[in-house]
């Protein structure tokens, strides 16, 4: 619904809806090359807000706050294209089913061929590598290496 109205150079990264304290928040994460400015988020809010009011039946029956924001440094990687663009980056992935008794891996995304991703990571002091089937992926995001 929103995707056709968020035009180049902007990219719709994700939409999140949840409760924070007593308020419901609808977060629309957008990005563009070079990053998002406050002016960008204000302009996009003016486009998105009226569009949300046209959806029938209303998918958000509770009163909510609209937040148009940058995905930040830990940008979610929701599509195969996003994973492909993240090759060479430091990532955090969560799995539906454990591999080597582990359901979360954090390390450098070495490759992604559409069916499998390879991550180089450190387990205690040992450097390891893991191949993860794309279907096993529950969540993936960029991560900040500390």
């Amino acid at each position: 619904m929103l995707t056709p109205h968020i035009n180049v150079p902007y990219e719709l990264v994700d939409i999140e809806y949840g409760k924070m304290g007593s308020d419901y928040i609808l977060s629309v994460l957008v990005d563009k090359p070079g990053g998002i400015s406050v002016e960008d988020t204000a302009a996009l809010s003016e486009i998105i807000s009226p569009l949300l009011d046209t959806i029938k039946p209303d998918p958000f029956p509770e009163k909510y706050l609209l937040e148009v924001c940058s995905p930040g440094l830990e940008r979610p990687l929701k599509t195969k294209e996003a994973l492909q663009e993240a090759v060479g980056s430091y990532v955090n992935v969560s799995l539906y089913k454990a591999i080597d008794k582990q359901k979360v891996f954090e390390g450098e995304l070495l490759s992604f061929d559409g069916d499998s991703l390879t991550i180089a990571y450190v387990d205690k002091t040992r450097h390891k590598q893991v191949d993860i089937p794309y279907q096993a992926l529950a969540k993936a995001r960029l991560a900040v290496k500390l």
Side-chain angles (χ1 to χ4, degrees):
M1 159 87 191
L2 295 179
T3 304
H5 301 280
I6 298 177
N7 298 314
V8 173
Y10 302 109
E11 171 195 3
L12 177 64
V13 175
D14 198 11
I15 298 175
E16 299 171 349
Y17 180 72
K19 195 166 188 177
M20 186 178 292
S22 62
D23 296 321
Y24 285 92
I25 309 285
L26 177 64
S27 298
V28 179
L29 306 176
V30 292
D31 207 358
K32 74 173 187 184
I36 293 292
S37 70
V38 173
E39 292 80 15
D40 293 325
T41 60
L44 289 167
S45 291
E46 290 179 17
I47 293 168
I48 294 168
S49 185
L51 288 172
L52 293 172
D53 294 338
T54 67
I55 303 172
K56 302 291 183 221
D58 190 348
F60 312 109
E62 302 291 330
K63 183 179 174 184
Y64 66 90
L65 300 171
L66 173 63
E67 172 185 65
V68 178
C69 57
S70 165
L73 295 175
E74 295 190 339
R75 174 191 175 123
L77 303 169
K78 296 275 188 164
T79 64
K80 287 185 175 186
E81 293 79 16
L83 280 166
Q84 187 61 51
E85 289 174 15
V87 170
S89 299
Y90 196 75
V91 298
N92 176 292
V93 297
S94 301
L95 310 178
Y96 290 116
K97 186 177 176 186
I99 295 177
D100 297 331
K101 300 179 184 176
Q102 214 172 318
K103 287 181 85 173
V104 176
F105 290 91
E106 190 166 294
E108 183 183 352
L109 180 58
L110 298 177
S111 67
F112 177 64
D113 65 8
D115 295 318
S116 175
L117 48 148
T118 303
I119 295 177
Y121 68 102
V122 177
D123 182 15
K124 297 181 179 146
T125 59
R126 298 183 61 202
H127 291 270
K128 294 185 174 183
Q129 193 169 302
V130 63
D131 293 318
I132 301 170
Y134 180 72
Q135 275 68 25
L137 203 61
K139 287 173 109 177
R141 63 174 171 78
L142 293 177
V144 177
K145 188 175 183 177
L146 300 176

